Amino acid sequence: MSQSLGRGLSILIELGDGPRNLDELAGRLGVHKTTVLRLLRTLEAERFVRRDENHRFHLGARLGALAALADAPGRPGARDVRAVAAPHLARLNAATGGAARLVTGPPALLGDLARAGAPGRYAAAPVRDAAGDVVAAVTVPDGGDLTGLLATADAISADYGRPAAAGPPG
């Protein structure tokens, strides 16, 4: 990997842990500030990073757009959270005789389910993607197996966040 590409990726990884200013990034990367600034300007021009009014750098919108494309339905190699979840839900339902379901929908609905996290009509646990965003929720009826619910949601999140296995060479 080229040194510049490696450093640029290191910047993105550092920003994944939170906003940083130029001095912090240069210190963490062990690289002179002028080198880091040159890389940041390139990343900023392409919207992979953005700078706020306090001169701190954040991950940019283009990263989210690329991530969404990676798993867009119908795109070759895309992963469907429902397909990833199916074997996990089947195991939970077989073990409990329950009615566990995967709920997908708008982020607000999923966020509400994830925040609820306690029994009511349904208990819910979030399924997260590799970025930590809630993409679905596993639900069980009130009185269902909460231990299995949480373990199942965690297992789906782990599998969904893991890159898909490569297919045969084409």
Side-chain angles (χ1 to χ4, degrees), residues 21-42:
N21 66 31
L22 179 60
D23 290 331
E24 291 169 328
L25 286 168
R28 288 183 181 268
L29 271 61
V31 178
H32 195 275
K33 288 192 306 188
T34 56
T35 301
V36 175
L37 183 58
R38 177 180 49 82
L39 292 166
L40 284 166
R41 285 181 176 159
T42 300

Side-chain angles (χ1 to χ4, degrees), residues 27 65 74 83 90 92 110 144:
L92 177 61
L110 298 173

Side-chain angles (χ1 to χ4, degrees), residues 80-105:
D80 179 0
V81 68
R82 292 174 301 260
V84 173
H88 296 285
L89 291 173
R91 281 191 295 277
L92 177 61
N93 283 325
T96 64
R101 298 284 180 262
L102 185 76
V103 178
T104 59

